[in-house]
Amino acid sequence: MSKPKSPVGQPDEHDVFIRTKPEPIPFTKFLYNSNEGTVLGRTATSWAKIGIFYIVFYAVLAALVAVCMWVFFQTLDPRIPKWQLSSSLIGTNPGLGFRPLPPEYNVESTLIWYKGTDYENYKHWTDSLTEFLAVYKTPGLTPGRGQNIFNCDYQQPPPRGMVCDVDIKNWAPCTQENNYNYHRSAPCIFLKLNKIYGWIPEYFNDSSKLPSKMPTELKDYIKNEEANTPHTLNTVWVSCEGENAADIENIGPVKYYPRRGFPGYFYPYENSEGYLSPLVAVHFERPVRGIIINVECKAWARNIKHDRHDRIGSVHFELMID
């Protein structure tokens, strides 16, 4: 028996409805719908509520960060590091640095190479030294340095709040006016000991207790100082010599200005305003020309260890003059 048909115009329960797809909303109307007064699908009131929420949210977040930073900085001293010496990442063994450095495009190099008679060729080295030494010649270039400069001596350490003067003007022949002697194929290299807050050197001030690895020439120098000026023995001594037998033969005589080491009255370093590290100018008087000379300089104190691999307590560079 057949199933009766539905009346004309009325859908049967098994009929499938085919719905037409609504027309897409134009993009311009999505941006702004004048009929509904919406922007990007939201009314002005809705946008205002969202804006107020984010303003309050980020204001509270910024306030929390500010409070955390304020509490953090209350635990720090702007001048005194919280972690010092063996508790710090720097440790207790200072490194030794040299100037001038090679150009920036060859920053990994340690070779000082130039032609002794060619001004344009050695100009980089002398200009680099002049730039490095500018703060020593002009006190105003160092913040806080000026009225607190004190003419220190071994018997006159700086009073509290004062810093020792480093007078480089009379270190002839290692002066700017003399081109640091580069034009005479007898260059000056400047050494400085890295700063470690609170570090106090343990001096080799007894000629009978000098280490066996110390150069004989430096031992003789210390013995002479002990005999003639014993009050100057509190010094971090410096030695520069060729690394290998050929380098020792080619390096020639070496002189040090203003003395052979860093005076003890510069220590400990306490981050005083205007403090400048002491310097030693090393003058290579007659290095053999046309050959690379490997030079190793060391700082000597009982609490300075030497390690070529980690470059602590010593510094290596090469010197070549055509």
Side-chain angles (χ1 to χ4, degrees):
M1 184 174 182
S2 61
K3 185 179 178 181
K5 296 183 178 180
S6 300
V8 178
Q10 295 184 7
D12 183 67
E13 58 179 344
H14 296 288
D15 291 343
V16 178
F17 290 92
I18 301 176
R19 297 182 179 179
T20 58
K21 189 177 180 180
E23 294 184 3
I25 301 174
F27 183 70
T28 54
K29 196 171 185 180
F30 169 74
L31 293 177
Y32 176 67
N33 190 327
S34 59
N35 295 330
E36 298 180 5
T38 60
V39 176
L40 299 178
R42 296 183 180 273
T43 63
T45 303
S46 177
W47 280 117
K49 290 179 180 180
I50 293 174
I52 293 173
F53 168 79
Y54 279 107
I55 289 173
V56 173
F57 173 77
Y58 284 113
V60 172
L61 188 63
L64 288 174
V65 172
V67 170
C68 290
M69 292 298 293
W70 180 82
V71 172
F72 172 73
F73 280 110
Q74 298 310 303
T75 66
L76 300 177
D77 190 300
R79 190 177 62 85
I80 302 174
K82 186 173 183 179
W83 307 107
Q84 302 176 22
L85 299 175
S86 58
S87 300
S88 68
L89 293 176
I90 298 176
T92 59
N93 207 88
L96 195 64
F98 76 96
R99 297 291 188 281
L101 295 174
E104 292 184 359
Y105 64 81
N106 200 18
V107 67
E108 295 183 358
S109 173
T110 54
L111 174 62
I112 299 174
W113 179 19
Y114 71 97
K115 295 180 180 180
T117 56
D118 186 348
Y119 171 75
E120 291 299 326
N121 196 258
Y122 66 72
K123 182 177 182 295
H124 161 77
W125 307 105
T126 55
D127 287 352
S128 180
L129 277 178
T130 298
E131 181 180 356
F132 169 69
L133 298 171
V135 292
Y136 290 87
K137 297 187 69 173
T138 309
L141 295 178
T142 304
R145 187 174 179 85
Q147 297 299 321
N148 64 338
I149 297 177
F150 186 76
N151 290 322
C152 304
D153 197 353
Y154 285 93
Q155 297 173 329
Q156 289 183 327
R160 189 171 183 80
M162 304 291 283
V163 294
C164 294
D165 189 22
V166 184
D167 186 7
I168 64 170
K169 298 177 182 177
N170 300 317
W171 294 7
C174 301
T175 60
Q176 178 182 357
E177 294 73 20
N178 195 46
N179 288 320
Y180 309 103
N181 230 45
Y182 277 68
H183 62 301
R184 296 183 178 178
S185 301
C188 294
I189 309 296
F190 287 73
L191 302 178
K192 66 184 291 291
L193 202 61
N194 294 347
K195 295 180 287 189
I196 296 180
Y197 187 94
W199 181 76
I200 300 176
E202 297 175 7
Y203 307 103
F204 285 118
N205 51 14
D206 186 346
S207 61
S208 64
K209 298 180 179 179
L210 300 178
S212 58
K213 294 183 179 181
M214 180 180 285
T216 302
E217 185 260 341
L218 177 55
K219 291 181 180 179
D220 294 339
Y221 180 88
I222 295 174
K223 290 178 182 178
N224 183 67
E225 291 290 296
E226 188 177 42
N228 298 308
T229 55
H231 66 283
T232 65
L233 290 175
N234 284 352
T235 297
V236 179
W237 306 107
V238 167
S239 67
C240 289
E241 57 184 354
E243 284 192 351
N244 308 305
D247 301 317
I248 294 173
E249 183 179 346
N250 294 326
I251 197 171
V254 179
K255 286 189 177 180
Y256 304 84
Y257 298 92
R259 57 180 58 84
R260 190 164 182 174
F262 306 105
Y265 50 76
F266 280 92
Y267 305 97
Y269 165 67
E270 295 180 331
N271 200 21
S272 301
E273 281 194 347
Y275 176 90
L276 290 176
S277 298
L279 301 174
V280 173
V282 185
H283 180 209
F284 297 89
E285 293 187 306
R286 291 189 301 277
V288 175
R289 299 176 62 172
I291 189 171
I292 293 180
I293 304 172
N294 295 282
V295 182
E296 184 177 41
C297 296
K298 294 181 178 179
W300 294 91
R302 298 186 187 278
N303 53 346
I304 294 181
K305 297 179 181 180
H306 304 128
D307 191 311
R308 287 185 180 180
H309 182 267
D310 294 332
R311 295 187 178 182
I312 55 176
S314 63
V315 67
H316 163 91
F317 57 89
E318 304 91 34
L319 184 63
M320 182 174 181
I321 307 171
D322 286 334

